[in-house]
Amino acid sequence: MLKLFKLFNNKRLFILLITLVLFIVVMGFSLGTRKGLSWPENFVRDTTGFVQNLFYKPAGYVAGLFQDISHLDELSEENEQLKIMMAQYTRNMAQYNFIKAQNEQYQKDLHFTKEQEELYNYEYHIANVVSVTTEPSNHTLVIDLGSRNGIKVNMAVTSVKGLVGVISQVSQFTSTVKLMTMMDDNDPNSQPPIAATALNKEGKSFGMIESYDQETGMLMMNKIPVGDPIVKGDTVISSGIGGLYPRGMIIGTVEDVKVGEFGLTSTAIVKPSAEFQDWKDLFVVFTAADAEESAGK
């Protein structure tokens, strides 16, 4: 019995020693430098990688989908902001262009009034067009100046380019302008004729702007005496004779000069300088007497 017990103890000791030796060998083998993995390690690693790959890719796709959706919301918001900014930019540019054009027009107006004032000492009151009537028998327009501004009937009205017409009716706040296109020497109710001369030929040239040809758009300067030096290309201006129209108002340019039927007078075909459309700023001409009377009110 004692021998068996000893033998059993020796076997346990032997197994323990064998296990310890194997453990040391395995540890040494695991910790040592190796060029490759063992087949169990390869099997475990490949299996684990395959399973992880099955779950990782779909999870990555789902996460990427939610991330893209989040980015779409951000892009949509940015797009809306850009649209608003573009609309604001367009509006600001339109306002800038309008103000710029208005400023340039005022610069032209200021230059015109200074130039004319130095030449003939007139006073110009700027007016805006309220309405336009284009009926053939009543070609008139309404401006936003009236009697409270010192406006009176028969005052001359001009644009930067040339004479437009005369004041025909006046109310407290507005006035009606009868245009030169209404001039007709056979109609006593039309705009009064204009005593005219040629620029730089004052005192040598004379005629009367009496009518407007509706078909050709030309003014007729009649009663030009024989030997008058007026020729094609001359600038026609008001002479100031008669007192109705201030002198020096630009009327138009001579297109042609034709001798009358009996050779006693000539007629000049004059192209108006003013454009009777697309109205912008107009000026009511105040002579020195008109200006003093208006200031005294």
Side-chain angles (χ1 to χ4, degrees), residues 27-60:
M27 286 294 294
F29 183 74
S30 299
L31 295 175
T33 302
R34 293 181 297 165
K35 294 182 178 180
L37 299 175
S38 63
W39 71 265
E41 291 175 323
N42 280 326
F43 175 76
V44 173
R45 176 168 293 188
D46 290 342
T47 303
T48 304
F50 177 75
V51 174
Q52 286 178 338
N53 190 45
L54 288 177
F55 289 96
Y56 175 76
K57 284 188 177 180

Side-chain angles (χ1 to χ4, degrees), residues 70-83:
S70 175
H71 287 166
L72 283 176
D73 291 337
E74 293 176 1
L75 288 174
S76 177
E77 185 176 351
E78 289 179 3
N79 190 41
E80 291 299 322
Q81 291 296 326
L82 288 173
K83 286 181 180 179

Side-chain angles (χ1 to χ4, degrees), residues 132-141 163-168 176-194 209-215 217-220 245 272 276 279:
V132 178
T133 301
T134 57
E135 297 176 5
S137 60
N138 184 29
H139 199 177
T140 59
L141 54 85
L163 190 62
V164 170
V166 294
I167 301 293
S168 60
T176 301
V177 180
K178 186 177 291 186
L179 304 179
M180 286 197 300
T181 55
M182 287 292 297
M183 294 187 72
D184 185 350
D185 53 354
N186 296 319
D187 183 2
N189 295 320
S190 70
Q191 180 180 328
I194 307 170
I209 304 289
E210 295 181 325
S211 63
Y212 176 82
D213 191 324
Q214 299 289 342
E215 294 183 0
M218 298 291 177
L219 293 165
M220 302 293 113
Y245 297 92
F276 298 97
W279 299 103

Side-chain angles (χ1 to χ4, degrees), residues 59 146 242 257:
V257 179

Side-chain angles (χ1 to χ4, degrees), residues 224 230-232 254-259 266-269:
I224 301 174
I230 192 170
V231 294
K232 180 179 179 179
V254 177
E255 293 288 308
D256 193 13
V257 179
K258 297 181 178 180
V259 179
S266 298
T267 298
I269 313 301

Side-chain angles (χ1 to χ4, degrees), residues 149-167:
N149 306 108
I151 306 299
K152 297 184 296 185
V153 172
N154 288 333
M155 279 185 166
V157 179
T158 184
S159 68
V160 172
K161 294 185 176 181
L163 190 62
V164 170
V166 294
I167 301 293

Side-chain angles (χ1 to χ4, degrees), residues 222-237:
N222 302 321
K223 301 177 182 178
I224 301 174
V226 177
D228 192 296
I230 192 170
V231 294
K232 180 179 179 179
D234 281 346
T235 299
V236 177
I237 61 175

